[in-house]
Amino acid sequence: MEERFRVFKEVAESKNITLSAKKLHMSQPSISLQIQNLEDQYGARFFDRTNKGVTLTKEGQIFYAHVRSVLDLLSNAREQMHALAKDQRSLIYLGATLTIGEYILPNILAFLYRTHPDVDFKVKIANTELIAQDVLEKKMHIGLIEGPVSRHKDLNVESFWEDELVVVVPYSHPWASRISISLAELPHERFVTREVGSGTRRVMENALKERGLDPDQLNVTMELGSTQAIKQLVSAGLGITIISSLTVSRECDQKVFKMLKIQDSPIYRPLSILTNARTTQTKDERVLINLLHDHSLLSDVLSEDYSELEEHTSMVRGR
């Protein structure tokens, strides 16, 4: 039965029996016979056949959704059985956007290395769109992203943290004695920001517009593609910035920076977990997801200094 389902799925996706036969290394009559047997078994016509190929009927569309689910479940079961049979270590493919990958993930992976040493991670740092696509294509088990993502019926999106964007100034700045700032004061200072098109900058500009401040009013003197580079320029007194509070918390504790809340209305962006809606998470994947949802534990993990364990995390960085 599984073979018939795979044949049906391939024909439904390629919309061509000849192409399906080549890909599956089967004859066209054999493909047609498999489809016919399925239609006879379920008492429905699944395809409309024309000279240009085949298309799913309404019954076929319903059947296709169920076939995908069944094949996904069988694939997951096969992978888990294989891992048990070979006594393999669990391997989780994880994707993260830049801020999460640089400032959140190292602590999480170091914590999990201590508490679940039998789990390995392969991590790819990329933008939201690439991570979402990899999750949909099952190249990644879990994606961690900043900000919004396009909706897709096969993509589960769960918020796990609210990241506040704050005004950051050098500790020697006249504003360093304050705890908040108004939007009206910002255009009077030199600004260092992320490059046009970055997620952080897009969230910042949209939030400023919603609060009545045109981003063009800011005196942007430098645009950089790296959060770390922005921090270095701000610490040198070459400007101020609006940046994720997560990225400067340690420097604020060390009195390198002072973080100021925005008086008019704080700016928050969600950090979210992406998973494939057609895939069931393994026990080890659920451990990571549950950690992300445990705000108290996650706060403790992020406040710890795990730098000495970073060499033990297995990370593959990509763009």
Side-chain angles (χ1 to χ4, degrees):
M1 184 57 69
E2 184 176 352
E3 181 184 357
R4 288 183 184 177
F5 284 172
R6 293 190 183 281
V7 169
F8 171 86
K9 179 175 179 290
E10 180 59 38
V11 173
E13 292 175 350
S14 69
K15 300 179 181 180
N16 188 291
I17 290 178
T18 301
L19 292 178
S20 297
K22 289 181 179 179
K23 185 171 182 179
L24 296 173
H25 304 290
M26 298 173 65
S27 67
Q28 292 185 42
S30 179
I31 294 281
S32 298
L33 180 61
Q34 297 269 30
I35 297 298
Q36 184 63 55
N37 287 339
L38 278 176
E39 291 179 329
D40 291 344
Q41 181 177 353
Y42 288 92
R45 184 168 54 86
F46 294 144
F47 292 100
D48 286 325
R49 295 161 175 81
T50 68
N51 291 333
K52 295 182 179 179
V54 297
T55 57
L56 287 170
T57 62
K58 289 184 178 179
E59 294 87 349
Q61 292 172 5
I62 294 172
F63 191 65
Y64 173 69
H66 288 292
V67 164
R68 283 189 60 185
S69 297
V70 169
L71 291 176
D72 284 341
L73 287 172
L74 290 173
S75 176
N76 290 338
R78 192 176 294 110
E79 289 177 6
Q80 292 180 38
M81 296 294 185
H82 181 68
L84 286 174
K86 297 294 183 179
D87 193 25
Q88 295 178 341
R89 292 168 60 86
S90 179
L91 178 60
I92 297 176
Y93 286 87
L94 184 61
T97 45
L98 188 59
T99 296
I100 295 174
E102 287 191 340
Y103 296 98
I104 297 179
L105 206 50
N107 273 37
I108 290 173
L109 295 183
F111 173 79
L112 291 174
Y113 174 80
R114 283 182 171 175
T115 58
H116 294 77
D118 57 335
V119 181
D120 288 333
F121 293 87
K122 293 291 184 181
V123 180
K124 177 179 179 180
I125 306 299
N127 62 38
T128 295
E129 290 76 15
L130 287 175
I131 290 173
Q133 190 60 38
D134 279 353
V135 171
L136 285 171
E137 294 176 2
K138 300 182 183 177
K139 296 176 182 177
M140 288 182 188
H141 301 128
I142 299 172
L144 304 179
I145 64 166
E146 311 149 38
V149 64
S150 299
R151 291 187 177 183
H152 192 287
K153 62 183 177 62
D154 291 341
L155 196 63
N156 287 331
V157 183
E158 305 174 73
S159 178
F160 72 92
W161 194 270
E162 278 201 327
D163 180 26
E164 184 176 7
L165 299 185
V166 293
V167 176
V168 175
V169 302
Y171 213 80
S172 58
H173 194 281
W175 290 352
S177 60
R178 301 171 59 175
I179 61 173
S180 62
I181 201 78
S182 69
L183 291 179
E185 297 174 88
L186 297 182
H188 303 297
E189 291 289 318
R190 292 163 57 92
F191 246 83
V192 183
T193 72
R194 284 291 301 274
E195 79 283 5
V196 173
S198 79
T200 299
R201 178 154 179 177
R202 185 166 56 248
V203 171
M204 177 193 77
E205 291 182 341
N206 289 341
L208 293 179
K209 288 177 183 177
E210 291 172 359
R211 290 156 177 78
L213 176 64
D214 186 345
D216 290 337
Q217 292 180 255
L218 297 178
N219 180 23
V220 176
T221 57
M222 281 176 279
E223 300 177 345
L224 300 165
S226 163
T227 299
Q228 190 60 35
I230 290 175
K231 289 164 61 176
Q232 290 174 350
L233 291 178
V234 172
S235 66
L238 298 181
I240 69 172
T241 191
I242 293 179
I243 203 170
S244 162
S245 61
L246 291 167
T247 66
V248 293
S249 58
R250 187 162 298 171
E251 289 88 348
C252 288
D253 291 339
Q254 297 168 349
K255 297 188 177 180
V256 175
F257 297 135
K258 180 63 180 292
M259 127 184 7
L260 306 176
K261 292 183 175 291
I262 296 175
Q263 292 173 1
D264 313 65
S265 181
I267 300 175
Y268 292 98
R269 62 174 175 178
L271 304 185
S272 302
I273 305 165
L274 302 184
T275 53
N276 192 302
R278 295 185 174 275
T279 302
T280 302
Q281 279 71 57
T282 66
K283 173 178 64 70
D284 292 318
E285 290 166 10
R286 289 306 313 174
V287 167
L288 171 58
I289 292 172
N290 290 339
L291 167 61
L292 294 171
H293 283 307
D294 188 335
H295 285 193
S296 177
L297 177 56
L298 184 56
S299 295
D300 290 342
V301 169
L302 296 181
S303 65
E304 291 290 336
D305 183 2
Y306 287 101
S307 57
E308 75 277 5
L309 286 179
E310 287 186 9
E311 63 187 64
H312 298 292
T313 59
S314 179
M315 300 182 69
V316 177
R317 296 172 63 90
R319 296 271 181 195

